[in-house]
Amino acid sequence: MRWIRWWALIIFGAASTIFTGWWQLDVLEAFQNTTPDPLLNGRFVDPSIPGLLKSIAKDGEIIMMAATGGYTGFVMNAICYLRRLGVSHFVVLALDGAVWEFCKEKKLGVVRASSLGIQKRYGAMAPSLRSKEFNLIAREKHAGVLACLLNGLNVLLLDVDVVLLRDPYEEIWPLSKHHDFVFQSDAKLEDAPNFYMNSGFYYATPSLGSSLVIAHVLEDTHDGQNQEQTVLHLLLCGSSNSNAVDQWECKNTALNASSTVLDRKKFTNGHAVTRAPGSAAVLSWDPYSIHFNWLEGKRNKIQVMQALGMWLVDDKNECIREFHMERSKELAVEFDRLLGL
């Protein structure tokens, strides 16, 4: 009887491996061959991506940042903070040729979302927020996430206007043991933390559930009519948060994928910054990160970040100095003035 059990285990293991490999190929082929998406142009990602991702990753972890050419300064600013934390396992997902060339010049790890380059389609001017063109560009970062997941990597996706002040893994890793996704909350302070999740700051672990969720995001946003962040939230938390387990967690039982959100004081979103009663309170939180996502306009973001000492790049896009957050009354007053509070 023992040899029967051993053979059963061997057969089960082989079947699991074959199924996993088949499923991964099926997902890739779906996007390579059947997705009506000119951005992908019949290809999932650049063929060099899997090998490069694994060479950059550290202990199965990788940080990915996506950007277009108008935001190369933000790319470098985010990298300055990562270097300050001693982090080297990051890669830039180039959404156009300008970012690709910038990263090559700076000798940064970079991959392309498609072989065509979005710059040829949209030109140098960034599309307006929530436009079809904007939605098509924004969805590309999830293609990068799926590439990481299908290669067995844990991935932390960051928008380039995120400033990391402390090691985020201290808070993320304990939560990721029980969830496929860990998000920065994008909810207002008066709402439940998981009322809305931010797709510009999230951590995903490789699982069937997480990969299916991201595959659905790509499928449901292929024509630019839907916003990727809205689709991602609906997939996990449901309409009117019908999939919410509590005010922190959501679970899509059909896809077998669960999510939770980070503390808003520790991982400060744009709402928390701009709507806080006083920015002195924000600074006193000593957050792990600040996401300047609700400050409209590139110049406005830079102005506020410079006033806070959080813009660490010079005119040549080189890191210029270290920064340690100050909790000063003068800084809080200046912050309030810039935000019109």
Side-chain angles (χ1 to χ4, degrees), residues 189-208:
L189 293 172
E190 60 267 27
D191 294 324
N194 66 359
F195 183 80
Y196 208 49
M197 301 178 301
N198 190 289
S199 64
F201 188 130
Y202 73 88
Y203 182 85
T205 59
S207 68
L208 180 60

Side-chain angles (χ1 to χ4, degrees), residues 67-74 96 98-99 124 126 298:
T68 57
Y71 281 79
T72 51
F74 285 86
D96 60 25
V99 175
K298 183 169 61 175

Side-chain angles (χ1 to χ4, degrees), residues 202-260:
Y202 73 88
Y203 182 85
T205 59
S207 68
L208 180 60
S210 63
S211 299
L212 285 174
V213 167
I214 300 303
H216 276 287
V217 170
L218 291 170
E219 181 181 356
D220 295 345
T221 57
H222 74 270
D223 58 2
Q225 299 301 317
N226 299 317
Q227 291 179 274
E228 43 80 31
Q229 180 164 284
T230 301
V231 170
L232 185 55
H233 180 86
L234 288 174
L235 280 168
L236 287 164
C237 291
S239 178
S240 301
N241 268 23
S242 57
N243 293 342
V245 177
D246 53 31
Q247 66 174 346
W248 299 94
E249 302 176 17
C250 293
K251 185 174 180 63
N252 183 321
T253 54
L255 298 179
N256 193 29
S258 66
S259 66
T260 190

Side-chain angles (χ1 to χ4, degrees), residues 114-252:
S114 72
S115 59
L116 291 179
I118 297 174
Q119 190 178 36
K120 292 182 180 179
R121 180 171 176 173
Y122 299 112
M125 295 298 292
S128 58
L129 188 66
R130 300 183 182 88
S131 66
K132 177 180 178 180
E133 290 78 10
F134 180 89
N135 291 342
L136 286 171
I137 291 177
R139 73 184 287 274
E140 285 294 290
K141 59 189 178 185
H142 301 293
V145 169
L146 185 57
C148 295
L149 295 177
L150 292 179
N151 281 279
L153 298 175
N154 299 309
V155 55
L156 175 59
L157 179 71
L158 297 176
D159 278 352
V160 292
D161 58 351
V162 172
V163 168
L164 284 180
L165 301 166
R166 299 163 61 188
D167 181 0
Y169 291 119
E170 294 176 356
E171 296 288 321
I172 290 173
W173 279 342
L175 295 173
S176 69
K177 293 179 180 179
H178 309 288
H179 300 284
D180 302 283
F181 295 95
V182 180
F183 286 89
Q184 176 192 11
S185 171
D186 210 34
K188 299 177 182 179
L189 293 172
E190 60 267 27
D191 294 324
N194 66 359
F195 183 80
Y196 208 49
M197 301 178 301
N198 190 289
S199 64
F201 188 130
Y202 73 88
Y203 182 85
T205 59
S207 68
L208 180 60
S210 63
S211 299
L212 285 174
V213 167
I214 300 303
H216 276 287
V217 170
L218 291 170
E219 181 181 356
D220 295 345
T221 57
H222 74 270
D223 58 2
Q225 299 301 317
N226 299 317
Q227 291 179 274
E228 43 80 31
Q229 180 164 284
T230 301
V231 170
L232 185 55
H233 180 86
L234 288 174
L235 280 168
L236 287 164
C237 291
S239 178
S240 301
N241 268 23
S242 57
N243 293 342
V245 177
D246 53 31
Q247 66 174 346
W248 299 94
E249 302 176 17
C250 293
K251 185 174 180 63
N252 183 321

Side-chain angles (χ1 to χ4, degrees), residues 52 55-56 63 65 67 71-80 82-83 87-94 98-112 160 313 316-319:
L52 180 60
S55 68
I56 291 174
I63 296 174
M65 299 172 288
Y71 281 79
T72 51
F74 285 86
V75 170
M76 203 64 216
N77 193 62
I79 289 174
C80 292
L82 289 172
R83 288 175 174 171
V87 173
S88 60
H89 57 281
F90 60 83
V91 65
V92 179
L93 183 65
V99 175
W100 175 263
E101 295 301 328
F102 173 81
C103 291
K104 286 297 184 181
E105 178 186 346
K106 298 291 184 183
K107 296 180 170 36
L108 302 171
V110 59
V111 293
R112 284 185 279 204
V160 292
V313 295
K316 296 181 180 179
N317 280 331
E318 298 289 348
C319 301

Side-chain angles (χ1 to χ4, degrees), residues 21-58:
W22 167 83
W23 176 82
Q24 290 182 353
L25 287 174
D26 184 60
V27 170
L28 286 175
E29 287 173 358
F31 287 102
Q32 288 173 334
N33 301 322
T34 64
T35 302
D37 185 349
L39 289 180
L40 296 179
N41 193 36
R43 297 177 66 182
F44 174 60
V45 284
D46 188 278
S48 64
I49 283 185
L52 180 60
L53 292 178
K54 290 182 177 180
S55 68
I56 291 174
K58 179 181 179 182

